[in-house]
Amino acid sequence: MSGEGGALAAALLSMGVLALLSPVLDRRLGRDTGYVLAVGFLVVAAVLAPAASTALDGGAVTFSHAWTDSPEISFTLRMDGLATLFCLLVLGVGALIMAYCPRYLTAGGRHGRTYLLLTLFGGAMLGLVLAGDLLLLFVFWEMTTVASFFLIGTGGARAARPAVRALLVTGMGGLALLVAMVLLGIAAGSTDLATVLRAREEVLDSPLSPAIATLLILAAFTKSAQVPFQFWLPGAMVAITPVSAYLHAATMVKAGIYLLLRFSALYSGQTGWVICLMGVGLFTAVLGAVQALREHDLKAMLAHSTVSQLGLLVAAIGVGTTVALAAAILHTFAHALFKATLFMIIGVIDRQAGSRDIRELSGLMRIMPVTATLAGLAGLSMAGVLPMIGFVSKESLFQGFAGADVFPGAGVVAAALAVTASVLTFAYGMRIFYGAFAGPMLQRQLHEPSWAFIAPAAVAAVAGAVLGPAVSVLDPLMRQAVLNAEPWAVPPYFAFWHGLSPELFLSALTIASGLVLFSARDRVDRMLQRLPRPDGAAAFDRVHSAVLGAGAVVGRPDRSDSTAAYLARPAAALVVLGCVGVFAADGPGIRAGAPSDPVDWGVLALLAMAVAALVRTRSALAAVSLLGAVGLIVALWFLLAGAPDVALTLLLVEVLTAMTAAFVLSDLSTRFPRPRRGAAAAALAGAAGLVAALGTLALTGRRELSPAGAYFLEAAEPETGGRNVVNTILVDFRGLDTLGEASVLAAAALGLLLLLPGQPDGTVGGPRAPYGRVLGPAHRLLLPGIAGLSAYLFLRGHYEPGGGFSAALVAGTAVAFGYLAGRTGPRWLSPRPLLAAGLVLGAAVGLAAMVLGDPFLTPFTIPVPGGGLSSPLLFDAAVYLMVLGLVVTVVDRLGAGRAEHR
Amino acid sequence: MSGLVLALPVAVPLLAAGVLVACPGGRRAQRLITSAVSAGILVLSAVLLAGSLDGTVRGLSMGGWPPGFAIVFAADALSTLMLCVSAALVLASLAFAAGTGDDASPWFAPLAMILSAGVYGAFLTADLFNLFVFVEVMLVPSYALLTMSGGRARTAAGRIYLTFSLLASTLLLAGVGLVYGVTGTVNLGELAGAARQSTAAALAVGVVLLALAAKAAVVPLHGWLPRTYPEAPPAVTVLFSGLLTKVGVYGLLRVYAVVHEGTGLRWPVMAAALLTMVVGVLGAVGERGMRSILTFHMVSQIGYILLGLALFTRAGLTAAVFFLVQYVLVKAALLMCAGAVETAYGTDRTDSLARREPLIAAAFLVSALSLAGLPPLSGFVAKLGLVDAAATESDHLAVGVAVGVSFLTLVSMVKIWAGSFWGGEDPSREESLLRLMARATVRPALAVPALVLTVPSVVLGIAAQPLLTAAAEAAGGLLDASAYVRAVTR
Amino acid sequence: MTAAIAVGVLTAGGFFLLLRPGLVRVTFGFVLLGHAANVLLLAAGGPERREPPLIGDGDPAGMADPLPQAFVLTAIVITFGITVYLLGLARAEHLAGSGSRSGTGPEGPAESAEPPR
């Protein structure tokens, strides 16, 4: 990495620093910040000067720094002749625009954001042309798009829609560029731009080649406003004039041109490339010129003119000959000069006269002779009239087009179209000048703008005039740029005067026809106004709203309030999975399991009947009873399957569920609404049931006792001292599951507390309990028994069916009973202390093991008088507390509401 | 650091929840406890992540029982990365909740702690049944937080959210049961490669994957998410966005990588990925409210992550993990912007915010551009990685869809920006907004969390390499699960 | 065989109720689905071994696999917690819908967040 390479990075960095400084400067200097920035741009240019001179000698200066490995993005900057040319435009025109801004922008306003964005844009554009890595090129490309979006947006509320159009159109192109870069990286085997450009053979031989070319063209066409994307550029004119001049005339729209020039090294001369670029480019050139000729707004005319000129450039790049390519490069330069001048002048007119409409402006030549002269110089350059630089570049273009040979006669057609566009250009150039400056003087109070306001325009205009005769000054730069675009080319020398060449004849023809057109301007105008206007913006808006509409349609199913709409989808997915399974099941397939016990069949029949009755009933009371019955039958099933613990727990859960449901249902209508669309639901439910049954049949009961199961049966007693293996798993082996489960209950209880507001007195139960007189004594009688049972279940859990969970549920029934009896429990028997104690105890028991240096939840024994208190017992106590906490909460929050409701 | 600490992310929040329930104290004390716990876990997981970057997988057998019989926790690069980003998100959400006042209820803090314990547990466990339990530990508090303080719209949304999640959980439980039925184990390590060896195991795991897909909001099982998330309190939406579906996605990554060894389901996963991307983004562009657009978007982003899973190459998985991490932060920042506006103005359908709320506008802007994948922000690196990975595999359909969806993402972000931040073209609206302006501005306490979360958007874009390295390590652990398997079986 | 049919019946019934309107019936549907999952889990342990896994109470060779039983216990408890919350939600929905009770309106005043004393 040379010092010059570091200069490239320093230049970019300086642009960033300048951008960040600009709001600060704006606070002190106001609108004059622009002058500082203009100097800044020139300093950056000076920093780049040594690198530029190396580049012009045929070398290339590079800077490289790794950004990411995979995906590989390298921060590689590379300055060669082509990059130098564009740097000159970015910084040179940029400095002029920055010097123009202070007198254009309103005094006293805040312009920090505008300056920030403009400078950021300048930096991004500089990065774009200096990027030496495919993906880095994309990075800067997108940054220019975003900067453009916000700069257009500075135009106020009416700018929102055009800004969005510009962003989306160029953003689409940006994504095309991204894919192009990724594919190109794959095809060429590298993302280093210089390496890729040397790998022409590999890229062209790759099957990805046509796709890459198409995507590159798409990206370039959106950025450089080619048909059918041209509409965003005239729309972008709502931005302030410096933005239009800098981004939408001189630089950003040239990014597409730069891209096409850059990748000419790969695709130049390829038939598809040639036809596409020339066809679209020339069509755009003519269309843009026609559009420009029918506008009345000076800025709109210039916008369409830019579209037209960009079309000429695209077409010239497409021709594929060195002459045409050289012409395109020179014209890029010339266009930046004259178009920036014209925009600045129009900004001046707008500020001085308060209008840009040629129907309102007239006779400004007498009031502002200097301004008029500058406009004339730039206009002549645009029209391609001697001795301007525009004349030289236009002649070169004619020469280039005439040499087109993609098919026989292509040169004639291309030259004819180019001449047509140029004739129209001459005509609208006259229209601009004549419309603003000629005619009677209407606004006498106007005066010439201050020299500071027009000086930047003057510099560009004079440069355009001087560089025509002195075009050979540019030769080193232009020739090197041509060489970089087409490494195999023998670049031509530009000459101001070619002698009596065919091009001169075409120029003369252009001017003559243009004058004819101008002299018949009223008739032409009427005719043009009758032509249909291609309204790309409206078409874009239609597509845009169609997409939004389609989105609304896609989202519509997800606005339903019915749970069935959401629950049906997983059910259907399960059925689909089942169908896949039936087809995929190879090997054992589905076979009947071991012969089942006759008792099983009996229980099954009961179950089926209960379920059938449950789904059919419309009585809430019957539903609660049937649900309880189903629970009982399932509990019986578990008992028969050798799971007494499960059966006991399920039984208790059923009791409490039924109790809760009864609390809630007393509030609700006791008849369910008549079902609708029952058949579809039944079909889906039936299918899901079938899948579940087949799945169970095929995927269970086909192996021996699992190693884990065998281990637990074997190790439970020796390892934990417990004989109830299931309980040892819950509190010892897989205590974490149990801690999680208890936390779920605590969360459910906290959720109920959050969801349902508390009782005024916050106690469990209440004096208004419904059956107090009868149940009160009964409760007093039963309470010791229930408490004793609960304690018994809890303590024996490790050895026999029981444990913290079932014990707490038993205690919970006592609380529920107490509520119904209208008895107030003790203060600690309320949600907060129970839940808090449970959560803290559960986590603390587990963490205590860690304090001892063992893994979380490792059992340990706490020595207490009369033996040891084992940690699993404490853990089970935590579970007990949380379960009881939930039951108490339910009684408190759901039961309470019921009482109040009566 | 020994594997013993792996239990802390679960145990400490549960302990904290208990303490918070016991003595709710003032809100300030609650905030102090919750943020201290979350910050501690963030630091712990960052240390664990640093230690797992060399491929080390730490294991912990709960209760000291032999692995295979005990529940095993394992921390590799993927798990610790998820842990890190989740802890960061919990911290940010808590700060945001303090701003919006969503933490006014004394039950908010303990529920958030239990939820976070569930999330951390789900990222750490290597046991399918335990995964089910932790998913429930995460979901039950989420039911409560979503429906917090009731109200018609919220309970309606809560009903849909709750029933759908419950159905997915039931499916997950049944799937775990079937896995145990076929293989006799629920330990992920012992299940390594099981789906490749037997169709029966593949089908059983298929039910688990289906359930996880429902939790991750994979199309067509996505409808619940855009319907319910926008109804939650603003801070809760932020919390959910970064955690809940991510557990589903993490589960899909882990189970598919270990049990399927990344093969066998390429086409179904790819189809689901592309469909999810497209439907999610179309739904987003069709929405109106800021929060609705953003939440529908989440569906689309899940699709991007699945794309990496479908490719199952190092590049694809790296990009997917990178995408996941940065997107959690970006989306949280966006939802915070929307939530801040909603809290201050009472609606998220406002306009002219760019002028009135420069802080929120800046935060939104950076995050939205990142979400749309614009350089040089983190979202760009993520999308580039996925596109690059798909292109390398010559999966051009996926490339096209990814880019097209990216474009529509831009459309939706621009829709919000032009509507809510510029906007103001309608004079009748302008008038009503003048009144709004008089009384409402976003307080700094609301804007700061969103602004802070934009920092990673920028940093993870410009200095993407450290996270890419971690993501690559995580991807390596998915591609070759042998170290993970060793750590959880032994 | 019987286990599979039981799972099928419970699943079908559960899904049918899930697809009905009304949160209470949906809740009942989930209870049925929960039963289905639990029967399935037990079946996954192997239906041939049916002795309770209580050491010292029977022939260890015929004892049922205890692990699925532990799973089912955990699952039952979790389902219970969620069911209870669902029913609470039905209550809250009813209150919000009918507006019969203050404190659960859309704006949710502070007392809804008050802890019980």
Side-chain angles (χ1 to χ4, degrees):
Chain A
M1 192 190 308
S2 64
E4 286 175 353
L8 303 187
L12 272 188
L13 196 66
S14 321
M15 293 298 278
V17 172
L18 276 180
L20 295 178
L21 273 181
S22 49
V24 183
L25 290 172
D26 179 66
R27 210 155 289 167
R28 308 213 86 181
L29 304 174
R31 59 180 188 169
D32 287 340
T33 305
Y35 292 125
V36 180
L37 293 173
V39 173
F41 274 45
L42 293 178
V43 170
V44 171
V47 168
L48 286 175
S53 87
T54 310
L56 293 191
D57 291 342
V61 178
T62 55
F63 171 86
S64 197
H65 182 76
W67 182 352
T68 61
D69 294 345
S70 166
E72 192 188 340
I73 316 172
S74 165
F75 195 88
T76 301
L77 301 174
R78 191 166 183 281
M79 188 153 174
D80 62 1
L82 189 59
T84 306
L85 169 66
F86 277 90
C87 284
L88 186 62
L89 292 184
V90 171
L91 294 171
V93 177
L96 292 178
I97 298 294
M98 285 303 184
Y100 173 79
C101 276
R103 295 282 84 77
Y104 175 86
L105 294 171
T106 48
R110 279 274 156 264
H111 307 294
R113 193 179 301 180
T114 306
Y115 279 126
L116 171 82
L117 286 167
L118 271 173
T119 317
L120 267 186
F121 166 79
M125 195 66 207
L126 199 63
L128 167 63
V129 298
L130 285 177
D133 179 271
L134 295 178
L135 292 167
L136 192 66
L137 173 64
F138 166 78
V139 168
F140 286 118
W141 179 282
E142 289 294 70
M143 285 167 70
T144 62
T145 298
V146 173
S148 158
F149 172 66
F150 289 106
L151 281 167
I152 299 172
T154 54
R158 76 205 163 90
R161 285 205 71 78
V164 168
R165 285 188 206 115
L167 175 68
L168 293 183
V169 170
T170 50
M172 184 166 58
L175 287 169
L177 182 67
L178 173 65
V179 178
M181 293 297 146
V182 167
L183 295 182
L184 198 52
I186 291 170
S190 168
T191 62
D192 181 67
L193 185 58
T195 314
V196 170
L197 293 178
R198 277 196 299 271
R200 181 179 163 100
E201 302 300 317
E202 286 89 330
V203 172
L204 290 182
D205 288 347
S206 158
L208 297 172
S209 173
I212 295 168
T214 310
L215 291 164
L216 281 174
I217 289 174
L218 187 63
F221 281 11
T222 53
K223 199 85 163 179
S224 291
Q226 297 298 290
V227 173
F229 309 112
Q230 83 291 358
F231 59 88
W232 74 261
L233 184 53
M237 293 300 132
V238 295
I240 55 171
T241 296
V243 172
S244 306
Y246 191 30
L247 274 73
H248 304 127
T251 57
M252 188 185 93
V253 290
K254 299 280 170 57
I257 303 300
Y258 171 77
L259 191 73
L260 294 175
L261 284 172
R262 216 16 126 187
F263 289 97
S264 283
L266 295 178
Y267 287 106
S268 179
Q270 300 291 305
T271 309
W273 177 269
V274 172
I275 290 178
C276 188
L277 261 52
M278 287 189 67
V280 173
L282 286 169
F283 181 70
T284 306
V286 174
L287 183 81
V290 171
Q291 289 283 92
L293 197 51
R294 63 204 273 183
E295 289 291 345
H296 296 104
D297 183 295
L298 288 172
K299 217 172 159 186
M301 281 190 232
L302 286 188
H304 288 294
S305 157
T306 304
V307 170
S308 167
Q309 300 287 328
L310 289 168
L312 281 180
L313 290 173
V314 166
I317 296 167
V319 171
T321 60
T322 306
V323 177
L325 197 75
I329 289 174
L330 183 66
H331 195 62
T332 302
F333 183 80
H335 177 254
L337 281 184
F338 66 68
K339 197 50 76 60
T341 311
L342 285 172
F343 266 111
M344 288 191 269
I345 298 285
I346 282 167
V348 169
I349 295 173
D350 197 6
R351 277 280 176 270
Q352 299 297 116
S355 172
R356 305 191 305 238
D357 194 314
I358 54 170
R359 287 166 299 192
E360 294 168 11
L361 297 169
S362 181
L364 295 180
M365 184 150 29
R366 308 223 190 123
I367 307 168
M368 312 181 190
V370 180
T371 312
T373 310
L374 295 174
L377 287 176
L380 289 176
S381 190
M382 177 167 79
V385 178
L386 270 166
M388 306 298 162
I389 189 170
F391 163 76
V392 184
S393 63
K394 191 66 72 75
E395 291 235 310
S396 311
L397 282 177
F398 288 155
Q399 195 187 354
F401 284 124
D405 56 357
V406 64
F407 55 83
V412 178
V413 176
L417 285 169
V419 168
T420 308
S422 301
V423 168
L424 294 165
T425 305
F426 188 90
Y428 68 68
M430 291 292 288
R431 183 179 162 92
I432 290 170
F433 188 81
Y434 190 85
F437 296 103
M441 197 162 41
L442 296 179
Q443 295 164 288
R444 292 181 180 283
Q445 77 284 11
L446 299 183
H447 52 82
E448 190 84 70
S450 69
W451 68 267
F453 199 178
I454 51 170
V459 171
V462 170
V466 171
L467 284 173
V471 69
S472 53
V473 175
L474 295 173
D475 267 342
L477 177 60
M478 296 300 160
R479 285 168 50 84
Q480 191 55 45
V482 172
L483 258 180
N484 292 136
E486 276 188 2
W488 59 85
V490 182
Y493 290 91
F494 290 107
F496 174 62
W497 182 250
H498 286 100
L500 291 174
S501 60
E503 297 83 54
L504 189 66
F505 165 72
L506 290 178
S507 284
L509 180 66
T510 301
I511 293 169
S513 313
L515 282 172
V516 169
L517 216 51
F518 176 69
S519 58
R521 57 185 174 277
D522 292 338
R523 225 176 318 151
V524 172
D525 208 30
R526 275 198 301 278
M527 201 183 73
L528 285 176
Q529 297 303 340
R530 276 201 300 275
L531 282 179
R533 242 167 223 274
D535 196 348
F540 174 85
D541 286 352
R542 272 196 300 279
V543 174
H544 189 242
S545 26
V547 170
L548 299 192
V553 171
V554 167
R556 192 163 299 149
D558 307 316
R559 296 205 185 88
S560 166
D561 265 352
S562 135
T563 44
Y566 300 88
L567 299 179
R569 289 198 223 170
L574 185 67
V575 172
V576 170
L577 184 66
C579 294
V580 171
V582 168
F583 287 110
D586 53 341
I590 293 162
R591 46 135 216 207
S596 300
D597 208 315
V599 181
D600 287 353
W601 286 104
V603 177
L604 181 59
L606 274 177
L607 180 70
M609 280 192 286
V611 169
L614 174 60
V615 299
R616 288 172 65 93
T617 185
R618 286 181 53 219
S619 152
L621 200 64
V624 173
S625 322
L626 285 166
L627 191 70
V630 171
L632 285 179
I633 298 165
V634 174
L636 181 62
W637 179 282
F638 288 156
L639 198 61
L640 289 173
D645 258 304
V646 178
L648 175 64
T649 307
L650 185 60
L651 220 55
L652 291 164
V653 161
E654 287 304 320
V655 171
L656 281 165
T657 305
M659 179 193 84
T660 315
F663 283 158
V664 171
L665 276 173
S666 71
D667 271 9
L668 304 169
S669 56
T670 44
R671 303 277 302 168
F672 295 131
R674 186 172 288 282
R676 280 171 300 140
R677 287 181 303 179
L684 185 54
L690 188 62
V691 166
L694 289 176
T696 311
L697 198 58
L699 303 178
T700 67
R702 46 180 65 253
R703 55 165 179 77
E704 293 306 300
L705 185 63
S706 71
Y711 169 82
F712 293 132
L713 287 176
E714 207 171 282
E717 195 170 16
E719 294 280 352
T720 71
R723 289 193 302 276
N724 181 354
V725 182
V726 175
N727 187 269
T728 63
I729 295 176
L730 288 177
V731 299
D732 292 293
F733 296 110
R734 292 182 68 98
L736 190 61
D737 280 344
T738 309
L739 181 61
E741 155 213 307
S743 310
V744 164
L745 295 188
L750 293 175
L752 285 175
L753 294 174
L754 192 57
L755 182 67
L756 297 165
Q759 280 291 84
D761 59 354
T763 49
V764 177
R768 282 170 298 161
Y771 313 108
R773 198 162 300 169
V774 188
L775 292 178
H779 182 253
R780 259 193 298 278
L781 211 63
L782 286 176
L783 187 61
I786 298 181
L789 178 62
S790 174
Y792 170 68
L793 277 175
F794 175 72
L795 289 173
R796 78 165 202 165
H798 226 48
Y799 311 100
E800 298 290 329
F805 186 78
S806 21
L809 288 181
V810 167
T813 56
V815 174
F817 196 21
Y819 154 71
L820 290 172
R823 307 242 316 190
T824 310
R827 276 183 70 85
W828 55 266
L829 200 63
S830 61
R832 169 174 283 167
L834 292 172
L835 296 172
L839 279 165
V840 170
L841 186 61
V845 168
L847 285 170
M850 286 182 66
V851 175
L852 302 174
D854 288 324
F856 189 63
L857 285 172
T858 303
F860 57 92
T861 307
I862 303 162
V864 287
L869 184 58
S870 78
S871 69
L873 193 69
L874 282 178
F875 185 68
D876 218 14
V879 174
Y880 184 104
L881 289 169
M882 284 190 257
V883 175
L884 192 59
L886 175 63
V887 175
V888 169
T889 309
V890 167
V891 170
D892 181 34
R893 292 302 153 105
L894 293 172
R898 176 178 183 264
E900 190 178 276
H901 227 66
R902 264 171 195 269
Chain B
M1 189 177 290
S2 98
L4 287 182
V5 295
L6 293 188
L8 291 179
V10 171
V12 174
L14 288 181
L15 187 69
V19 171
L20 288 165
V21 172
C23 40
R27 255 200 271 178
R28 190 170 295 174
Q30 284 211 334
R31 287 173 187 164
L32 194 69
I33 293 176
T34 52
S35 29
V37 167
S38 304
I41 290 169
L42 177 59
V43 171
L44 172 69
S45 44
V47 172
L48 286 171
L49 173 62
S52 65
L53 287 181
D54 58 356
T56 310
V57 185
R58 284 189 189 76
L60 169 64
S61 280
M62 291 297 164
W65 305 105
F69 309 122
I71 293 168
V72 185
F73 270 19
D76 65 349
L78 179 62
S79 289
T80 49
L81 201 52
M82 297 304 297
L83 216 56
C84 255
V85 72
S86 310
L89 190 90
V90 170
L91 205 55
S93 307
L94 288 171
F96 186 61
T100 59
D102 287 331
D103 64 355
S105 159
W107 310 124
F108 175 89
L111 282 167
M113 284 293 101
I114 298 177
L115 184 144
S116 70
V119 172
Y120 303 145
F123 288 144
L124 284 169
T125 190
D127 181 290
L128 280 184
F129 186 80
N130 194 238
L131 175 68
F132 161 77
V133 171
F134 276 119
V135 166
E136 297 309 304
V137 173
M138 162 186 97
L139 285 176
V140 173
S142 81
Y143 303 150
L145 291 173
L146 179 81
T147 51
M148 196 156 79
S149 76
R152 194 196 292 255
R154 257 179 213 165
T155 45
R159 176 175 64 162
I160 291 163
Y161 174 72
L162 206 166
T163 51
F164 187 92
S165 304
L166 185 51
L167 181 54
S169 296
T170 311
L171 269 179
L172 181 58
L173 178 65
V176 173
L178 290 174
V179 168
Y180 187 74
V182 173
T183 63
T185 182
V186 289
N187 178 299
L188 265 178
E190 293 178 353
L191 287 167
R196 291 184 72 182
Q197 288 146 22
S198 106
T199 313
L203 282 172
V205 173
V207 179
V208 172
L209 290 175
L210 183 66
L212 290 170
K215 298 215 177 283
V218 174
V219 172
L221 307 174
H222 66 288
W224 59 276
L225 190 149
R227 170 66 185 81
T228 61
Y229 275 23
E231 301 292 349
V236 174
T237 309
V238 175
L239 190 67
F240 284 15
S241 78
L243 300 180
L244 305 190
T245 49
K246 305 307 164 288
V247 167
V249 172
Y250 166 82
L252 286 174
L253 288 172
R254 182 69 81 193
V255 172
Y256 185 60
V258 174
V259 185
H260 276 271
E261 289 176 345
T263 58
L265 291 179
R266 179 172 174 137
W267 290 113
V269 176
M270 183 60 88
L274 300 186
L275 200 62
T276 304
M277 286 159 79
V278 171
V279 169
V281 82
L282 279 177
V285 295
E287 288 290 337
R288 291 184 182 281
M290 224 194 283
R291 247 199 314 163
S292 312
I293 293 178
L294 292 173
T295 47
F296 220 129
H297 243 291
M298 295 171 55
V299 175
S300 166
Q301 316 292 338
I302 300 291
Y304 273 105
I305 299 163
L306 288 189
L307 171 60
L309 183 65
L311 293 171
F312 214 80
T313 57
R314 183 172 293 270
L317 289 169
T318 303
V321 173
F322 184 93
F323 190 103
L324 179 55
V325 171
Q326 63 88 25
Y327 146 73
V328 164
L329 302 172
V330 169
K331 185 45 76 62
L334 287 169
L335 287 169
M336 281 179 184
C337 292
V341 169
E342 210 175 309
T343 306
Y345 294 83
T347 171
D348 63 355
R349 295 188 192 178
T350 51
D351 59 27
S352 316
L353 287 173
R355 201 173 60 241
R356 280 183 278 149
E357 304 290 353
L359 289 184
I360 289 292
F364 182 87
L365 183 66
V366 173
S367 308
L369 293 179
S370 182
L371 189 77
L374 284 168
L377 303 168
S378 61
F380 159 68
V381 179
K383 275 186 190 170
L384 172 65
L386 283 169
V387 168
D388 199 28
T392 308
E393 290 292 291
S394 296
D395 203 329
H396 296 127
L397 178 67
V399 171
V401 170
V403 168
V405 169
S406 188
F407 178 66
L408 289 175
T409 305
L410 183 65
V411 170
S412 64
M413 289 301 113
V414 165
K415 182 178 175 177
I416 295 180
W417 182 262
S420 298
F421 286 84
W422 281 346
E425 278 173 287
D426 182 356
S428 60
R429 277 178 79 194
E430 189 71 52
E431 198 179 326
S432 65
L433 278 164
L434 281 177
R435 274 186 285 118
L436 276 177
M437 273 172 70
R439 65 174 163 91
T441 45
V442 173
R443 286 174 293 114
L446 275 171
V448 165
L451 274 174
V452 169
L453 277 189
T454 56
V455 173
S457 269
V458 177
V459 171
L460 295 179
I462 290 172
Q465 195 50 48
L467 179 58
L468 274 175
T469 308
E473 184 55 46
L478 289 171
L479 275 178
D480 175 11
S482 56
Y484 184 84
V485 169
R486 271 198 308 279
V488 303
T489 50
R490 241 189 298 273
Chain C
M1 185 76 181
T2 42
I5 297 174
V7 170
V9 166
L10 287 166
T11 306
F15 269 118
F16 185 75
L17 287 177
L18 243 53
L19 300 174
R20 307 280 78 200
L23 191 49
V24 173
R25 259 193 297 185
V26 171
T27 309
F28 290 179
F30 276 117
V31 174
L32 289 192
L33 279 187
H35 288 326
N38 292 336
V39 172
L40 186 156
L41 269 170
L42 274 200
E48 283 92 357
R49 307 167 63 98
R50 309 188 113 185
E51 288 286 324
L54 300 168
I55 306 296
D57 269 13
D59 174 19
M63 278 187 191
D65 187 343
L67 187 55
Q69 295 195 11
F71 289 165
V72 171
L73 269 174
T74 304
I76 287 176
V77 178
I78 289 174
T79 311
F80 171 64
I82 298 171
T83 307
V84 163
Y85 187 78
L86 253 177
L87 289 169
L89 192 63
R91 154 68 65 79
E93 212 170 42
H94 184 66
L95 292 176
S98 65
S100 65
R101 185 171 159 150
S102 64
T104 47
E107 295 304 320
E111 64 257 31
S112 66
E114 208 127 81
R117 275 149 291 175

